[in-house]
Amino acid sequence: MTIPMYGLVEAGGTKFVLGIASGKDDVHETVRIPTTTPDETIGAMVDWFSARGPLAAVGVASFGPIDLDPASARYGYITETPKPHWSGTDLVGPLKVGLKCPVALDTDVNAAALAEYLWGVAQGCRTSLYFTIGTGIGGGAVIEGKTLRGLSHPEMGHIRLTRHPNDLEFAGTCPFHGDCLEGLASGPAIIARWGKSLSDLPADHEAHDIIAHYLAQLVVSMQAVFEPGRISLGGGVMGTAGLIDRVHNMAARLGAGYFKSCAEDIVTLPGLGDRSGLLGALALAMGAES
Amino acid sequence: MTIPMYGLVEAGGTKFVLGIASGKDDVHETVRIPTTTPDETIGAMVDWFSARGPLAAVGVASFGPIDLDPASARYGYITETPKPHWSGTDLVGPLKVGLKCPVALDTDVNAAALAEYLWGVAQGCRTSLYFTIGTGIGGGAVIEGKTLRGLSHPEMGHIRLTRHPNDLEFAGTCPFHGDCLEGLASGPAIIARWGKSLSDLPADHEAHDIIAHYLAQLVVSMQAVFEPGRISLGGGVMGTAGLIDRVHNMAARLGAGYFKSCAEDIVTLPGLGDRSGLLGALALAMGAES
């Protein structure tokens, strides 16, 4: 019996991380290639996999927006992105043609949510969510074992929030919506207001409470919408010491005991840490077979 | 061949509407009984169904909160409700015992969302939402044919919003959260500010834009979270002339072209009108068989 080998792709705006694995505890070769032009990056990706023998399937956990509609002529394409050269890039086609195996695609955050559901902190949850709070803010969901999609994939970073009373002047950094969640609480939004990342600001700086206030509203609104069994918060901003505790406290206060779950019980850092992206790609690849 | 007959229950805080039907176009007998005490109301409900011969199943579309966890000892109970006498009432048990048939339970809004998916404006949608904007605000979702649940059912009326600049003084009417969506845009919240229902205020009154602003934020946040194919907005407040157009316009402005869908395309009044509750109960009953 041959153990099936999967190709993993974590496609990001600055780098593509590629891997080969037979299972979550056997990711046995990885490489990083810079995200330059589509031709160069996708060419290097196909070459790298081609040199590594037949694959049972490839999973691609990608930055967005991407076209996930199987009925669309542009299924598997990156659609309109501010990243130069990448709008309208076919991500799935070259892999299918070059490697002659099934290719599964989803957003990086949906894939991470799936990995957390299969192997991380969301195991056994009927409904669970994963967010990355970093350069951007994105969210994915797994509902009864499947990632959430509608007409397209979610863009959960763009929900609306109540402004913190000490943060009424800042216009927000989202080029589309100004003061949506991403416009208020992403890494660039923090630097735009205070000149440093949150982890570089002193622990008594008001920025900590302001950002926790926005993330707590995210938690409470997600409790209202999903009553999820788990919300994992990952990404660079969540590396700030004490932030998750502030979010717990603030979300408990905002929720006021109304929801079935306590924020402290359901909100955690990701169980898979920075492996959630690549393991998300593995989860997609393993699902692509069936 | 005998045509299966279903019992329908739309359980509300002021009345229970009961019905008998073999299908969506054959709801052939209905009755309204006032919601008094649980003993009286539930007794009358069981008696009414008992007098109407054997039923294939009963579907209950109920006000909440209700316990929907099949593993819970209190599955099928109304949990903590401000409605006097009704906290801790077993809604499903007496029907099962009295009628000896399967009983399916869900929230009124999840049931309505399911009815709209099966027979109304959300047919063919991978993901769709239904909201009622009335005495309270509630939302339900159908994802790939199934209603959304997590640890419990959603309570979507309690999401957070940005305050309208002309509405900063009002504290909101939600006893838990103050100025969540329900606290700002429900019927009682409108009356608390302006002394009249929205439909009784002149068309040029600023209340129209303020309420549309909040409902538009709901739409945009739901586009961010779900990218749904349909959002239907029902309930008494939506009966206000011109409100849906204001919501369309405001949501398009707030979304700023970012989402896959246009608010004008996906946001509609419910296709089943005030029948969505009872047809929701039918949808639940038909699902209970399998």
Side-chain angles (χ1 to χ4, degrees):
Chain A
M1 196 184 86
T2 316
I3 297 170
M5 284 293 160
Y6 302 99
L8 323 180
V9 181
E10 188 183 357
T14 57
K15 64 179 187 299
F16 276 43
V17 182
L18 312 180
I20 300 284
S22 64
K24 86 155 174 93
D25 297 318
D26 176 46
V27 181
H28 57 73
E29 194 177 359
T30 62
V31 69
R32 284 158 188 251
I33 54 177
T35 309
T36 56
T37 63
D39 276 358
E40 209 170 70
T41 305
I42 290 176
M45 170 172 76
V46 173
D47 288 348
W48 191 82
F49 283 126
S50 296
R52 271 150 191 85
L55 297 170
V58 175
V60 183
S62 181
F63 71 111
I66 47 180
D67 188 333
L68 291 177
D69 178 1
S72 164
R74 289 162 76 86
Y75 170 80
Y77 281 59
I78 292 174
T79 56
E80 293 306 310
T81 170
K83 178 144 187 83
H85 316 300
W86 284 82
S87 290
T89 295
D90 184 1
L91 208 52
V92 165
L95 285 166
K96 277 197 169 160
V97 171
L99 304 175
K100 296 177 184 53
C101 69
V103 178
L105 172 70
D106 211 327
T107 61
D108 41 13
V109 280
N110 258 350
L114 188 60
E116 292 290 344
Y117 169 76
L118 291 174
W119 305 305
V121 290
Q123 292 176 58
C125 292
R126 179 172 188 144
T127 300
S128 60
L129 301 170
Y130 172 96
F131 287 88
T132 179
I133 322 290
T135 310
I137 296 184
V142 174
I143 297 171
E144 301 186 31
K146 295 181 70 174
T147 58
L148 176 64
R149 297 180 194 178
L151 293 175
S152 178
H153 51 80
E155 286 286 355
M156 298 197 194
H158 297 267
I159 64 165
R160 299 293 163 143
L161 306 171
T162 305
R163 296 296 290 262
H164 188 283
N166 296 347
D167 189 41
L168 298 177
E169 304 303 317
F170 180 60
T173 57
C174 175
F176 292 92
H177 311 122
D179 64 350
C180 63
L181 173 62
E182 179 169 295
L184 290 172
S186 63
I190 292 167
I191 289 171
R193 298 222 243 346
W194 299 296
K196 290 181 178 178
S197 69
L198 197 59
S199 54
D200 287 338
L201 290 165
D204 60 353
H205 192 287
E206 68 169 0
H208 292 278
D209 276 348
I210 291 172
I211 297 305
H213 173 79
Y214 294 133
L215 296 179
Q217 286 187 63
L218 167 67
V219 167
V220 170
S221 285
M222 292 304 104
Q223 287 179 292
V225 172
F226 292 100
E227 280 278 12
R230 180 68 66 204
I231 301 175
S232 19
L233 302 179
V237 173
M238 291 311 301
T240 306
L243 181 57
I244 187 105
D245 300 323
R246 288 178 202 259
V247 173
H248 283 154
N249 293 338
M250 195 79 76
R253 209 181 313 160
L254 287 175
Y258 184 77
F259 301 109
K260 173 102 175 176
S261 54
C262 300
E264 195 169 350
D265 296 334
I266 64 162
V267 179
T268 65
L269 299 173
L272 305 171
D274 55 11
R275 300 169 68 224
S276 65
L278 211 54
L279 291 181
L282 175 62
L284 297 177
M286 292 171 79
E289 280 188 301
S290 59
Chain B
M1 196 184 89
T2 315
I3 297 170
M5 284 294 159
Y6 301 99
L8 322 181
V9 181
E10 189 184 357
T14 57
K15 64 179 188 295
F16 276 44
V17 181
L18 312 180
I20 300 285
S22 64
K24 87 155 174 93
D25 297 318
D26 176 45
V27 182
H28 55 74
E29 193 177 357
T30 62
V31 68
R32 284 159 188 249
I33 54 177
T35 309
T36 56
T37 64
D39 277 359
E40 209 170 69
T41 306
I42 291 176
M45 170 172 76
V46 174
D47 288 348
W48 191 83
F49 283 127
S50 297
R52 269 146 193 89
L55 297 169
V58 175
V60 182
S62 181
F63 71 113
I66 47 181
D67 188 333
L68 291 177
D69 178 1
S72 165
R74 289 162 76 86
Y75 170 81
Y77 281 59
I78 291 174
T79 58
E80 294 306 310
T81 171
K83 177 142 188 84
H85 315 301
W86 284 81
S87 289
T89 294
D90 184 1
L91 208 53
V92 165
L95 285 166
K96 277 198 170 158
V97 170
L99 304 176
K100 296 177 182 55
C101 70
V103 178
L105 172 70
D106 211 326
T107 61
D108 41 13
V109 280
N110 258 349
L114 189 59
E116 292 291 343
Y117 169 76
L118 291 174
W119 305 305
V121 290
Q123 291 177 58
C125 292
R126 180 171 188 145
T127 300
S128 60
L129 301 170
Y130 172 97
F131 287 89
T132 179
I133 321 290
T135 311
I137 296 184
V142 174
I143 297 170
E144 301 186 30
K146 296 182 69 174
T147 59
L148 175 63
R149 298 180 193 178
L151 294 175
S152 178
H153 52 80
E155 287 285 354
M156 298 195 195
H158 298 267
I159 64 165
R160 300 291 163 145
L161 305 170
T162 305
R163 297 297 290 260
H164 188 283
N166 296 349
D167 188 41
L168 299 178
E169 303 304 317
F170 180 59
T173 58
C174 174
F176 293 92
H177 311 121
D179 64 351
C180 64
L181 172 63
E182 179 169 295
L184 291 173
S186 62
I190 292 167
I191 289 173
R193 299 222 243 346
W194 298 296
K196 290 181 179 178
S197 67
L198 197 60
S199 54
D200 288 339
L201 290 165
D204 60 354
H205 191 286
E206 68 170 358
H208 292 279
D209 276 347
I210 291 173
I211 297 305
H213 174 78
Y214 294 132
L215 297 179
Q217 285 187 62
L218 167 67
V219 167
V220 170
S221 284
M222 292 304 105
Q223 287 180 292
V225 172
F226 292 100
E227 281 277 13
R230 178 69 65 202
I231 301 176
S232 20
L233 302 179
V237 173
M238 291 311 301
T240 306
L243 182 56
I244 189 105
D245 300 323
R246 288 179 203 257
V247 173
H248 283 154
N249 293 338
M250 194 79 74
R253 211 182 310 159
L254 287 175
Y258 183 77
F259 301 108
K260 174 100 175 178
S261 54
C262 299
E264 196 170 351
D265 295 335
I266 65 161
V267 179
T268 64
L269 298 173
L272 305 171
D274 55 11
R275 299 168 68 224
S276 65
L278 211 54
L279 292 180
L282 174 62
L284 297 177
M286 292 171 78
E289 280 188 302
S290 58

